[in-house]
Amino acid sequence: MSRHQPHSATASGPVTTEDPQAPFLELLARGASADAYEQPVLLARAEGATPERIAALEAAKALALRVRAEMEGRRRREAELSALFETAHDLAGLRDLDAVLQAIVQRARSLLGTDVAYLTLNDPARGDTYMRVTEGSVAARFQQLRLGMGEGLGGLVAQTARPYVTDDYGHDVRFQHTHTIDAGVGDEGLVAILGVPLMLGAQVIGVLFASDRRARVFEREEIALLGSFAALAAAAIDTANLLTETRQALNELERANEIIRDRSGVIERASDVHDRLAELVLRGGGVHDVAAAVSQVLDGTVEFTDAEAAPGRALEASRADGHAVRHRDDWVAAVAAGGELLGALVLRGHPGLDPVDQRTLERAAMVTSLLLLARRSAAEAEQRVRGELLDDLLDGRDRDPRLLRERAERLHADLDATHVVLAARLESTGDAEQEAAARRRLWSAANHLAATRHGLAAARDGGTVLLLPADTTAASELASHVAGRLSEAIHESVTVGASAPVADLAGWTERVAAAYVEAQRCLDALRLLGRSGQGAAAEDFGFLGLLLADSRDVAGFVARTIGEVVTYDERRGTDLLRTLDAYFASGMSPARTKDALHVHVNTVAQRLERVGRLLGEDWQTPERALEIQLALRLHRLAAPDIA
């Protein structure tokens, strides 16, 4: 056989002169998993290829895996640089130090995929380091820890200015364990901890941590990434360095994009799409803007849908392997963050999708998830701001009416309008974890309701307090409406007590606290009366409302109870009030009543029938009768000339 022929046969089996790198280049082009690179070698062995051929394939496989690792590393670095740049961009618009540090910790926890992230700052006056910001923490003792220099992993990082990592903190003897620190860490259930120093020049100002409640080995790249976030946190504290850090992150991102554009056509096209999406995000675009942009690139229709509306199997498959999945004539790319499924991008009617376009759809899904997380973070930040303002009003911490009004205006709230304070609470479920989750849902739903009605909301005293404009709605009606809305939103029974309307909150902040006490009294009364899941104000409790209300609205109680009778007497010149007085004084006996009034018993009956039509058929029930007698006495006190 000629040496130019592509195939030959030997005693050991068929031999091919095909380039050994060809199958691995194909695997690289379609982004196959590392396991797939074993297939060409296994196939060659199965076909009885020569040892030289197998050795060539092994060498090509090793080279391809190195190229794949390099590409994965560059993509990972691109994602890390993108996250750092986006973090720096977010920080540029923030002015409050706590908000800046909270953003750093949230982003670090999200990108490293840990259960908890937190940040401590050094206290030069006391010579120790203390917990400043936590994300994902549930233990109060852990959130209040203070670490002496050299104590625990954090104290050692603060003392040595070097990162430290442990995959099992409780059994790691490299650190100085103390009962206080170990108890806090134990309450939180932390096992694996990574800590990196926050540096300003050569000075350590604190430590940034990422930790898991299970054993975990932190990779070198993750340590380096957390160190980058620590640098941003330090720069946020020292605002003079913030612009420098942002520019540095931008330059690194631009250099990464230049490297990507120098690669093959497939990677180059994907990079161009990524740049377009990044620019769209920086301009403040939304989820549907991303879908519209990708629709233009792919020359098709791309839609964002909720997880419930997307094809279930295709969506789960996409989330599992991180790639877009074909479903009939459509393509589905899961929009997920961590373990949470946020929705899907669906490319309609485009069955023939090449790897470039598939990667484009996958990048768009990743950007969409970042947008959704950013939107959630912004909403949570606004919720915290609303809660802080309401807390200040309740605690009377800020006595400057001008500043209070300015803070409220930024939240589209008007403290000069008349408001109602509402206290909302869930019934205890018995399970602490479920109850905590339900309270978080209640707080979130209350904040959404407050934002839509230009009010405020805050978590307080195991429940939620709202401050809503009264408008023309009665307090009792507003309480009932809020109870229904919150119960529907969180699928749990929510009880709501409301105060009487209050005005001029900025000038008299103590009115807010007093109204909150009144709302709590109404809430407690509802629960004691077995009316959980309802909403009510003091006016709904009859004479009991006089005790619940912060201000004793005697005239309002009298008007609600016997106002119809008073008005009837005034207009007709009748003696219904006097007849009622005599009727109750006579033990509700018509015979004794007619003797007291010196009238015929039929006259008494006719008058009482008229009273029944004015007050309702149940006016002689024990509860109504008690309220009516109290109202009669209060009416006499207000008008002593009436005999």
Side-chain angles (χ1 to χ4, degrees):
M1 183 177 292
S2 170
R3 62 186 178 88
H4 298 291
Q5 291 176 304
H7 298 282
S8 62
T10 66
S12 61
V15 177
T16 178
T17 59
E18 178 188 358
D19 184 357
Q21 295 181 355
F24 299 108
L25 289 176
E26 181 183 353
L27 291 173
L28 285 171
R30 61 188 176 88
S33 65
D35 294 340
Y37 287 75
E38 294 291 341
Q39 294 300 320
V41 179
L42 295 176
L43 182 60
R45 293 183 188 276
E47 292 177 348
T50 65
E52 292 79 4
R53 174 65 179 172
I54 293 175
L57 286 171
E58 288 283 2
K61 180 189 74 173
L63 178 60
L65 287 174
R66 287 199 300 272
V67 172
R68 181 182 181 277
E70 176 66 18
M71 294 173 66
E72 288 294 329
R74 290 182 182 275
R75 280 195 288 267
R76 183 172 62 252
R77 182 58 177 163
E78 176 193 348
E80 294 171 357
L81 291 174
S82 297
L84 288 172
F85 170 66
E86 290 163 6
T87 302
H89 183 271
D90 292 345
L91 297 180
L94 297 173
R95 295 294 179 265
D96 181 71
L97 178 59
D98 288 335
V100 173
L101 297 181
Q102 191 70 50
I104 286 285
V105 172
Q106 288 173 345
R107 192 67 60 82
R109 179 194 179 201
S110 172
L111 198 58
L112 269 67
T114 57
D115 297 324
V116 183
Y118 49 101
L119 183 147
T120 63
L121 292 181
N122 290 358
D123 186 346
R126 296 181 56 170
D128 62 2
T129 182
Y130 64 95
M131 197 73 70
R132 178 62 184 272
V133 180
T134 64
E135 177 68 18
S137 171
V138 296
R141 179 157 51 175
F142 177 77
Q143 297 166 9
Q144 299 169 4
L145 276 180
R146 299 189 74 96
L147 293 75
M149 291 299 178
E151 294 179 353
L153 184 145
L156 193 58
V157 173
Q159 184 182 52
T160 63
R162 294 175 55 193
Y164 275 86
V165 62
T166 177
D167 58 0
D168 189 354
Y169 179 83
H171 296 89
D172 199 325
V173 298
R174 294 177 298 163
F175 315 117
Q176 179 182 341
H177 291 266
T178 68
H179 173 74
T180 301
I181 298 174
D182 287 354
V185 173
D187 285 355
E188 196 62 56
L190 300 182
V191 177
I193 303 176
L194 165 62
V196 295
L198 276 65
M199 306 288 295
L200 284 181
Q203 180 184 6
V204 179
I205 62 171
V207 181
L208 180 62
F209 298 86
S211 58
D212 263 343
R213 297 186 176 95
R214 54 182 173 78
R216 168 178 174 171
V217 176
F218 288 96
E219 302 294 339
R220 183 174 58 184
E221 293 80 2
E222 293 175 317
I223 298 174
L225 180 58
L226 191 64
S228 298
F229 274 106
L232 285 178
I237 298 170
D238 186 6
T239 55
N241 295 331
L242 180 59
L243 182 58
T244 301
E245 294 291 340
T246 305
R247 287 175 177 170
Q248 181 180 356
L250 176 59
N251 291 336
E252 291 179 357
L253 180 58
E254 290 175 347
R255 287 195 296 271
N257 286 333
E258 290 174 359
I259 294 173
I260 294 172
R261 285 192 292 269
D262 290 339
R263 295 183 186 176
S264 66
V266 173
I267 303 299
E268 191 171 299
R269 181 175 175 184
S271 177
D272 291 339
V273 173
H274 172 73
D275 290 343
R276 289 187 60 181
L277 294 177
E279 181 182 359
L280 179 65
V281 172
L282 292 176
R283 288 203 314 267
V287 170
H288 297 290
D289 295 323
V290 172
V294 178
S295 297
Q296 294 178 356
V297 173
L298 300 184
D299 192 22
T301 301
V302 177
E303 299 175 352
F304 173 78
T305 66
D306 294 332
E308 294 79 8
R313 291 186 178 179
L315 184 61
E316 286 299 327
S318 176
R319 177 169 68 167
D321 64 13
H323 294 290
V325 174
R326 181 176 173 179
H327 176 71
R328 298 175 183 170
D329 290 340
D330 301 337
W331 283 82
V332 179
V335 176
E340 183 179 3
L341 188 59
L342 305 175
L345 284 184
V346 181
L347 174 61
R348 304 288 186 187
H350 209 310
L353 195 65
D354 60 39
V356 178
D357 292 339
Q358 182 179 345
R359 180 60 178 158
T360 297
L361 185 62
E362 292 163 1
R363 284 178 177 269
M366 179 186 69
V367 172
T368 301
S369 68
L370 293 175
L371 280 175
L372 292 174
L373 289 177
R375 181 188 301 172
R376 179 188 296 177
S377 298
E380 290 174 351
E382 182 177 339
Q383 289 175 358
R384 286 193 298 273
V385 173
R386 289 182 183 276
E388 289 168 359
L389 175 56
L390 183 51
D391 280 335
D392 288 346
L393 289 171
L394 289 168
D395 297 334
R397 281 195 289 261
D398 193 342
R399 296 290 186 175
D400 189 333
R402 180 181 59 83
L403 293 179
L404 289 172
R405 289 189 178 95
E406 289 178 356
R407 291 171 62 188
E409 287 174 2
R410 288 194 290 269
L411 297 171
H412 307 290
D414 181 10
L415 295 185
D416 292 325
T418 301
H419 286 72
V420 171
V421 177
L422 302 106
R425 192 178 302 164
L426 290 160
E427 294 301 319
S428 176
T429 61
D431 187 306
E433 185 174 349
Q434 292 180 357
E435 183 174 351
R439 286 180 180 177
R440 288 193 294 270
R441 294 198 305 272
L442 173 60
W443 180 68
S444 179
N447 270 285
H448 177 72
L449 179 61
T452 57
R453 295 181 65 98
H454 305 293
L456 305 173
R460 200 175 184 91
D461 299 327
T464 300
V465 55
L466 299 93
L467 181 68
L468 299 181
D471 300 327
T472 58
T473 307
S476 60
E477 182 180 346
L478 183 59
S480 179
H481 173 74
V482 170
R485 285 285 301 274
L486 294 180
S487 298
E488 180 181 355
I490 68 172
H491 306 292
E492 297 278 354
S493 180
V494 180
T495 308
V496 177
S499 72
V502 289
D504 192 15
L505 305 182
W508 301 90
T509 54
E510 59 270 18
R511 294 179 180 176
V512 184
Y516 176 51
V517 172
E518 179 180 338
Q520 285 183 305
R521 286 199 294 262
C522 292
L523 172 63
D524 292 337
L526 282 171
R527 300 174 74 187
L528 289 172
L529 294 173
R531 293 172 57 184
S532 296
Q534 300 181 23
E539 62 192 54
D540 296 315
F541 294 96
F543 75 91
L544 183 59
L546 293 176
L547 305 176
L548 297 175
D550 184 61
S551 57
R552 304 293 183 256
D553 183 14
V554 174
F557 170 72
V558 171
R560 288 191 299 272
T561 307
I562 60 172
E564 295 287 340
V565 178
V566 173
T567 302
Y568 191 90
D569 274 355
E570 290 175 349
R571 290 179 178 176
R572 306 288 181 97
T574 54
D575 277 335
L576 297 185
L577 283 177
R578 186 161 167 262
T579 302
L580 272 176
D581 265 330
Y583 180 64
F584 286 120
S586 302
M588 302 176 70
S589 167
R592 289 195 292 271
T593 302
K594 61 98 175 173
D595 293 336
L597 296 176
H598 306 292
V599 297
H600 195 274
V601 69
N602 289 339
T603 302
V604 173
Q606 292 171 359
R607 291 179 181 179
L608 294 179
E609 181 182 358
R610 173 61 63 183
V611 168
R613 287 199 293 269
L614 292 173
L615 299 183
E617 295 181 357
D618 64 339
W619 72 277
Q620 296 191 71
T621 60
E623 182 178 348
R624 287 292 311 279
L626 177 60
E627 291 184 358
I628 293 170
Q629 291 178 72
L630 178 58
L632 287 169
R633 291 177 179 244
L634 293 173
H635 180 65
R636 284 201 306 272
L637 291 174
D641 55 319
I642 298 177

